[in-house]
Structures are given as C-alpha cells and as structure tokens.
Amino acid sequence: MSVSNSVFLALMELLAAKQPIAAGALIDAMEKSGNDSVEVRRAIQLAFERGRIRLDDEMRVVIIERELVAA
C-alpha cells in the first residue's frame, strides 16, 4: 500500500491536535485540507497497521503513546 509521506504526516499532525476524534470527522477534516479521500483512507489504515493509532472505548481515533526506554 502506497501513501505519500505528506498525507501520513498531515494525518498524524491533525490527530495530535484534535484527538480523540471520530473516524468520519477525521476523514472529513483531511479531505477539507485538500487531501484525496482514497489516500486519506489508506493513510489511516497504514497508521493502524503500524500501531501508530487505535480506537478508544468510544470508537474514536487516538494516537498510541510510546514510552522511550533508556538502555
């Protein structure tokens, strides 16, 4: 699956600013920013597959927090 880096980064920036957000509202916001709807959906799917985002208990999209572990 191919997604442009700019769309993926825009997705993560939008989530950082507006999470938690309903998936439909996230797609709408990305499309209003001028992104292609198919590529937006691919970016969301890719983020789920990579473990970068998840759904909360109310089925809203949130970023998965990652803790840095010092070696």
Side-chain angles (χ1 to χ4, degrees):
M1 175 184 324
S2 175
V3 174
S4 75
N5 194 40
S6 63
V7 172
F8 191 80
L9 290 175
L11 170 70
M12 297 309 290
E13 288 176 4
L14 181 64
L15 277 170
K18 296 190 180 241
Q19 71 173 333
I21 185 171
L26 176 59
I27 292 168
D28 288 344
M30 289 290 293
E31 289 175 348
K32 286 179 183 173
S33 297
N35 296 295
D36 177 65
S37 63
V38 172
E39 196 163 18
V40 168
R41 287 171 172 77
R42 286 182 185 156
I44 293 170
Q45 182 179 353
L46 186 62
F48 272 111
E49 290 172 359
R50 289 184 177 176
R52 300 284 306 271
I53 59 177
R54 66 174 178 84
L55 295 176
D56 68 5
D57 294 337
E58 296 177 22
M59 302 305 287
R60 297 173 299 183
V61 181
V62 295
I63 295 175
I64 294 175
E65 300 295 329
R66 299 195 183 269
E67 292 183 30
L68 298 176
V69 179

